[in-house]
Amino acid sequence: QVQLIESGGGLVQAGGSLRLSCAASGLFFSNYVMAWFRQAPGKGSEIVAGISRNGGDTYYTDSVKGRFTISRDNAKSTVHLEMNSLKPEDTAVYYCAGTTTLWLATLSSDYHYWGQGTQVTVSS
């Protein structure tokens, strides 16, 4: 079966960095647009970043542009999110997600497969 397993979350001070990783199995990874979503307490899910099948196109929500970088390695079936200059408002559970729909899919309802989530907490 399809599995997306996130790692790399944790507690960091404001201004710090974290690198999230998502390892995929059970699917033909290079066929999937991949994305990172997040959900903060009391808020809805929002897309943070997305990456096209070959990695040639990326998308970032405005609040993370210039601070976060999404990348993928199709040979290893992994997708990463490098997060720098973290802010308390970045605190959330971060989810890896995959979809076979056309680029660019930004709604959570567009995504077929989800990881279990990893907590990112940024202290002020």
Side-chain angles (χ1 to χ4, degrees):
Q1 74 278 21
V2 174
Q3 284 190 307
L4 300 177
I5 300 175
E6 300 102 334
S7 61
L11 173 64
V12 65
Q13 288 188 329
S17 299
L18 284 173
R19 186 175 191 249
L20 304 184
S21 296
C22 173
S25 61
L27 52 77
F28 192 56
F29 186 72
S30 60
N31 276 358
Y32 284 76
V33 170
M34 300 300 295
W36 288 93
F37 284 77
R38 66 185 178 187
Q39 186 164 18
K43 296 187 177 181
S45 175
E46 67 165 342
I47 188 168
V48 176
I51 189 165
S52 60
R53 290 168 176 82
N54 65 2
D57 293 296
T58 56
Y59 165 86
Y60 299 94
T61 193
D62 285 346
S63 63
V64 309
K65 284 180 181 176
R67 300 189 297 122
F68 290 12
T69 303
I70 189 170
S71 62
R72 68 188 294 162
D73 184 338
N74 285 349
K76 296 182 179 180
S77 297
T78 56
V79 60
H80 305 282
L81 186 67
E82 187 76 34
M83 304 186 295
N84 297 314
S85 301
L86 283 161
K87 304 175 181 180
E89 52 263 43
D90 294 317
T91 295
V93 178
Y94 283 70
Y95 297 90
C96 171
T99 180
T100 56
T101 58
L102 296 175
W103 176 262
L104 165 67
T106 61
L107 299 177
S108 57
S109 57
D110 292 326
Y111 285 77
H112 311 308
Y113 298 112
W114 293 82
Q116 81 287 353
T118 186
Q119 177 70 47
V120 171
T121 303
V122 184
S123 63
S124 57

